[in-house]
């Protein structure tokens, strides 16, 4: 190995033994992007002996994560977060193995671009509820986004009715599963990650392991319970289309055990909830800072939808500006600025550099989405960059990035919930802007409070703008009347 270290990709010098760890304390994507200027498309760091490779350009990411997917589709080993707390059944965190293939196939079957259409009625209902909540309780906008995203994901996973504040305890319980596993995955959280041999300790000697296994047992029970409710609904002939029903109806085709099925549906909340709600916070930040973009979007929506009804999915193909806005929200401030880590399953060479087996491989999504060659004014929120001269979505925007950004990841492990996520963001944004204006809040002297573009909260994997005040107000009395009607029977007015 020593012979090869001269060929490692370039990178900053670190300290003896701990390497570059101290240079990576906070918001590392900003630091990586500064280093990109010095070290180029691919660089390496040493995390106390663990090699980490950072891919800074689309070309490097696509050459490795797409074209050599056999080597780069693995995830790093996480003993506590993935193996103990989730029993190796968290599809997003597991190794690239046979179980992952079976699970991924089942998710794809239910969430691919065509299948995702069956969730549109649910997404319309959720969007109307969200707008009503924003109108009547605007100061708590962030918690409305969280509840709305949670409700949409749980509806998609289990066919549940929209969740209400009374359901908050169960959402908290599911949320706890996500947070436990994200916390456990943070570097330094558990010694066993540094000394894997500790995993062989008997449970009576290892409190952390005992507790982890106990959580796994409880969480498995919870997820199995959710799944068996769906099974009962199927038997009674009143199940709604959802991931769980699709898994249960095709369990033998997908070759999934009961436990695997339960965890597959259960983990969707962790993967889809915070990501979507954080992207909505980015949207609000953009609207507060770019009022002209908001007006432009509102004009386009009014032209297509009119003022007598809320937008719905029949407008989906007629609102390219909103599609462009969804892309720009995900590009401008990606909620997953470093994607999800990969791991090299074998040693490899790339452009004369050596990548050792077991190296962490990180895609610097933040830098790629701000590549000045692709986005000359990369720090501006400008959805029209994704439109062609006739105002349609420019499908040829980039050869390497069919979506116009890389926030959903790459290759075989690209986000399977992306169609669902895009649809949710589209409908939420269209309904919010049809009904409401978003403006900067003012201080006691009446001066606008301008939110910062770069202040953010790092939740472990997902990153969102730091909390900031802003104002949501109805665009007109008529809008309130349409919304009231939509709220009346619990369904959007167009139903
Ligand atoms: C704005 C919304 C979302 C963003 C930005 C996002 C982003 C991502 C990213 C970056 C990855 C890792 C990809 C890679 O390794 O290359 C991922 C994986 C995943 N996402 Fe999403 N996601 C979103 C919404 C959703 C939704 C709504 C669901 C499902 C309900 C979902 C389910 C998953 C799953 C299951 C994985 C693991 C895939 C695997 O490891 O094979 N995501 N997502």
């Amino acid at each position: 190995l020593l012979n090869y270290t001269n060929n490692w990709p370039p990178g900053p010098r670190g300290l003896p033994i701990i390497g570059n760890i101290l240079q990576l304390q906070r918001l590392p994507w900003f630091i990586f992007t500064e280093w990109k200027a010095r070290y180029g498309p691919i660089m390496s760091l040493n995390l106390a002996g663990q090699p980490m490779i950072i891919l800074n350009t689309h070309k490097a990411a696509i050459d490795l994560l797409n074209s050599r997917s056999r080597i780069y589709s693995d995830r790093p080993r996480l003993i506590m977060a993935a193996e103990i707390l989730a029993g190796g059944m968290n599809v997003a965190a597991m190794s690239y193995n046979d179980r992952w293939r079976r699970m991924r196939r089942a998710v794809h079957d239910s969430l691919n671009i065509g299948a995702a259409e069956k969730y549109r009625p649910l997404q319309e209902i959720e969007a109307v509820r969200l707008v009503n909540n924003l109108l009547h309780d605007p100061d708590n906008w962030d918690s409305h986004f969280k509840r709305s995203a949670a409700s949409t994901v749980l509806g998609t996973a289990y066919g549940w009715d929209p969740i209400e504040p009374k359901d908050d305890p169960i959402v908290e319980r599911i949320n706890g599963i996500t947070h436990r596993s994200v916390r456990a995955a943070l570097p330094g959280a558990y010694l066993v990650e540094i000394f894997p041999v500790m995993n062989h300790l008997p449970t009576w000697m290892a409190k952390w392991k005992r507790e982890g296994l106990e959580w796994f047992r409880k969480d498995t029970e919870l997820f199995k319970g959710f799944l068996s409710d769906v099974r009962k609904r199927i038997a009674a002939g009143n199940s709604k289309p959802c991931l769980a029903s699709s898994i249960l109806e095709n369990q033998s085709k997908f070759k999934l055990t009961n436990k695997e099925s339960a965890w597959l549906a259960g983990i969707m909340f962790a993967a889809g909830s915070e990501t979507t709600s954080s992207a909505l916070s980015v949207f609000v930040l953009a609207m507060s800072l770019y009022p002209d973009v908001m007006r432009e979007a509102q004009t386009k929506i009014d032209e297509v939808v009119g003022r007598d009804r809320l937008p719905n999915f029949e407008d989906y193909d007629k609102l390219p500006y909103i599609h462009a806005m969804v892309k720009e929200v995900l590009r401008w401030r990606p909620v997953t600025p470093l994607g999800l880590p990969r791991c090299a399953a074998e040693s490899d060479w790339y452009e004369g550099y050596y990548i050792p087996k077991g190296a962490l491989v990180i895609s610097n999504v933040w830098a790629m989405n701000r590549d000045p060659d692709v986005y000359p004014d990369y720090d501006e929120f400008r959805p029209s960059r994704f439109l062609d001269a006739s105002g349609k979505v420019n499908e040829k925007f980039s050869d390497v990035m069919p979506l116009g950004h890389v926030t959903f990841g790459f290759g075989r492990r690209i986000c399977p919930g992306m169609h669902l996520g895009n649809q949710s963001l589209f409908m939420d944004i269209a309904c919010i802007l049809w009904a409401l204006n978003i403006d900067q809040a003012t201080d006691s002297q009446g001066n606008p409070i301008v939110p910062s573009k770069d202040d953010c909260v790092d939740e472990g994997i997902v990153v969102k703008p730091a909390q900031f005040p802003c104002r949501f107000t109805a665009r007109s009395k008529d809008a309130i009347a349409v919304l009231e009607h939509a709220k009346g029977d619990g369904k959007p007015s167009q139903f």
Side-chain angles (χ1 to χ4, degrees), residues 32-291:
F32 292 168
T33 306
E34 275 169 30
W35 286 342
K36 177 189 170 193
R38 202 169 327 152
Y39 302 109
I42 169 164
M43 57 195 195
S44 69
L45 301 177
N46 160 8
L47 304 185
Q50 163 69 55
M52 183 191 227
I53 308 292
I54 322 280
L55 308 175
N56 283 324
T57 61
H58 298 110
K59 183 174 178 328
I62 284 167
D63 285 349
L64 298 184
L65 307 184
N66 283 18
S67 307
R68 300 186 194 173
S69 54
R70 196 178 51 79
I71 300 178
Y72 293 99
S73 297
D74 210 358
R75 300 267 188 229
R77 184 170 185 208
L78 291 170
I79 296 176
M80 187 63 175
E83 294 176 16
I84 295 182
L85 284 171
M89 280 183 269
N90 175 345
V91 66
M94 68 175 45
S95 322
Y96 184 52
N97 57 22
D98 169 64
R99 179 185 275 161
W100 174 82
R101 271 181 208 94
R102 288 181 283 115
M103 285 187 158
R104 178 84 195 195
R105 210 173 131 218
V107 176
H108 176 78
D109 217 60
S110 192
L111 302 186
N112 67 58
I113 192 159
E117 289 187 18
K118 60 177 179 276
Y119 305 110
R120 288 180 174 182
L122 165 99
Q123 290 174 321
E124 286 175 349
I125 291 172
E126 291 290 355
V128 175
R129 292 171 67 90
L130 173 63
V131 177
N132 264 310
N133 288 336
L134 292 172
L135 179 67
H136 295 297
D137 178 26
D139 291 346
N140 288 318
W141 57 273
D142 193 51
S143 51
H144 300 317
F145 286 156
K146 280 193 188 143
R147 184 174 297 135
S148 167
S151 190
T152 308
V153 174
L154 291 170
T156 310
Y158 296 113
W160 287 2
D161 288 337
I163 54 172
E164 306 280 350
K166 73 171 169 45
D167 303 314
D168 283 356
I170 187 71
V171 176
E172 271 311 296
R173 170 75 176 88
I174 308 173
N175 227 343
I177 302 175
T178 313
H179 287 155
R180 227 178 347 268
S181 93
V182 170
R183 266 200 313 272
L186 293 178
Y190 287 95
L191 271 179
V192 65
E193 313 295 345
I194 304 166
F195 305 109
V197 63
M198 286 174 67
N199 198 21
H200 299 297
L201 287 173
T203 44
W204 61 267
M205 281 176 74
K207 186 159 168 274
W208 54 272
K209 191 172 172 185
R210 212 161 49 237
E211 286 174 356
L213 289 170
E214 181 56 15
W215 275 119
F216 173 60
R217 192 190 60 73
K218 283 191 198 150
D219 296 344
T220 303
E221 225 165 74
L222 182 79
F223 290 156
K224 275 189 166 173
F226 292 161
L227 202 66
S228 79
D229 288 344
V230 176
R231 196 178 279 121
K232 281 182 207 140
R233 284 207 302 269
I234 296 176
N238 62 359
S239 78
K240 290 193 205 153
C242 60
L243 177 68
S245 65
S246 144
I247 295 173
L248 288 172
E249 280 156 5
N250 299 290
Q251 222 174 346
S252 55
K253 176 172 122 194
F254 299 136
K255 301 190 176 66
L256 293 172
T257 65
N258 279 340
K259 220 185 217 181
E260 287 169 344
S261 304
W263 271 87
L264 184 54
I267 219 67
M268 290 303 131
F269 180 90
S273 183
E274 207 162 83
T275 39
T276 311
S277 66
S278 303
L280 286 169
S281 301
V282 173
F283 157 71
V284 174
L285 178 68
M287 294 303 94
S288 310
L289 294 171
Y290 296 87

Side-chain angles (χ1 to χ4, degrees), residues 75 91-92 100 104 271-272 275 335 342 407-410 413 415-417:
R75 300 267 188 229
V91 66
W100 174 82
R104 178 84 195 195
T275 39
V335 295
R342 304 287 184 93
T407 307
F408 287 120
F410 299 89
R413 293 200 88 145
C415 175

